[in-house]
Amino acid sequence: MSNKTIVITRPSGQARQLSEALLVSLRNSGFTPESTPKIIALPLLTIAPKGDGFLVEQITVALKTADLAIFVSPNAIECTMRLLECSWQELSSNPVPIGVMGGSSMLALKNHGIGAEGNHTQIILPQNNAQWDSEGLWTELQNLRWNWSTKKVIIFKGEGGRDWLADTLKNAGAQVEAFSVYARVPLDLNSSAWNEIHEMNFAKSLWLLTSSEAVRHLGGAKLPLDLATAICPHHNITDAAEHIGFGEVITCEPGDEALIAASQAWLSI
């Protein structure tokens, strides 16, 4: 086993998917069991779906008159569909178009059959994966040439998070209603999940950081991050990683493929 370690900081299910994809890519690239790094899952945040009936009723009513629904993340898709317990097209006489910000969200929609129906749901995604964020989706939405003052937009999100897109839509004249469908619960600093972290060689560690909020929580763990390297798929996450003291921070394009390619580049050094 290599003396290098890769730490994946996503919630458990997403961490497992990325870990498996990373291992397959490493094997295909010629890494042997001896040269493959140790991969540690450290779920800095746990996704806690909301499930009250009143929220379901609010969402169902809002979607009947919505012109566009935006999911800010795969978690927003999974938690919303779990809440509604029906197909997307059952919620309105005409399928409500959906805006998403990245490939992982597209995959989550596909897993729910959204976009592959007979009368398929329109899905709006930034075409360039370098723009898989709120700003990129807004650029794509502007290409629709809609009169936003006549449009109602529903945004599905977690508690907290960025409000940039909601504010931008409101400033353009849209009626915006946001629903928080999950909460993010920080990993207890006394959890046994930290044990492997405390024992590893930080100078040989690579951290895959995909959430600014998770990075801020990591900063409270008082670890020797100045010895470690981080890979971040967005400049906001990069700023957060630099702020908590990572020794080296690499910014890559959004998406798991870019994270994996950047990880392999680090391993080859």
Side-chain angles (χ1 to χ4, degrees):
M1 179 70 72
S2 167
N3 62 353
K4 292 185 175 181
T5 303
I6 295 179
V7 183
I8 298 177
T9 59
R10 284 178 172 171
S12 298
Q14 296 171 38
R16 183 171 58 254
Q17 292 173 2
L18 179 55
S19 176
E20 290 172 355
L22 177 58
L23 284 172
V24 169
S25 179
L26 292 176
R27 293 287 188 268
N28 292 339
S29 299
F31 280 79
T32 65
E34 291 73 28
S35 63
T36 298
K38 181 176 184 179
I39 298 177
I40 297 176
L42 183 72
L44 292 173
L45 301 175
T46 294
I47 302 303
K50 296 189 175 181
D52 62 273
F54 181 60
L55 178 59
V56 174
E57 183 180 346
Q58 285 183 304
I59 292 172
T60 303
V61 169
L63 283 171
K64 291 186 183 302
T65 56
D67 298 291
L68 174 68
I70 293 174
F71 293 96
V72 303
S73 67
N75 289 321
I77 295 168
E78 297 300 337
C79 293
T80 299
M81 297 311 295
R82 181 184 303 182
L83 266 176
L84 298 175
E85 295 185 325
C86 66
S87 76
W88 183 251
Q89 298 212 349
E90 291 178 56
L91 297 164
S92 176
S93 55
N94 293 308
V96 179
I98 292 174
V100 293
M101 301 173 192
S104 295
S105 291
M106 281 291 290
L107 180 59
L109 292 176
K110 181 180 178 182
N111 289 341
H112 287 281
I114 300 173
E117 312 94 341
N119 179 24
H120 71 273
T121 301
Q122 180 186 6
I123 300 175
I124 303 153
L125 167 77
Q127 296 305 301
N128 183 349
N129 69 338
Q131 295 181 303
W132 280 356
D133 56 16
S134 297
E135 291 83 353
L137 179 57
W138 173 237
T139 297
E140 203 68 33
L141 291 174
Q142 288 177 289
N143 293 335
L144 299 174
R145 306 296 181 190
W146 283 0
N147 178 0
W148 290 104
S149 65
T150 67
K151 301 300 181 182
K152 177 180 177 181
V153 182
I154 308 299
I155 298 179
F156 296 102
K157 58 191 286 293
E159 288 183 351
R162 297 179 70 202
D163 291 323
W164 183 90
L165 186 56
D167 292 341
T168 300
L169 284 161
K170 289 175 184 176
N171 290 337
Q175 178 188 348
V176 179
E177 190 169 4
F179 292 103
S180 296
V181 293
Y182 62 92
R184 304 176 188 86
V185 181
L187 179 65
D188 190 320
L189 294 177
N190 294 316
S191 167
S192 61
W194 296 96
N195 291 349
E196 286 186 290
I197 300 299
H198 292 302
E199 294 170 0
M200 74 181 188
N201 181 350
F202 277 79
K204 298 286 187 178
S205 70
L206 177 69
W207 295 66
L208 305 188
L209 307 175
T210 54
S211 161
S212 297
E213 183 177 348
V215 173
R216 288 190 288 273
H217 178 55
L218 177 62
K222 295 182 170 50
L223 300 170
L225 298 175
D226 58 311
L227 303 175
T229 301
I231 293 177
C232 308
H234 193 277
H235 61 85
N236 288 340
I237 305 173
T238 296
D239 291 345
E242 291 175 343
H243 180 73
I244 68 169
F246 269 93
E248 181 181 7
V249 182
I250 301 164
T251 306
C252 69
E253 291 186 350
D256 286 1
E257 288 185 6
L259 282 170
I260 291 170
S263 298
Q264 290 202 35
W266 176 79
L267 289 169
S268 67
I269 298 174

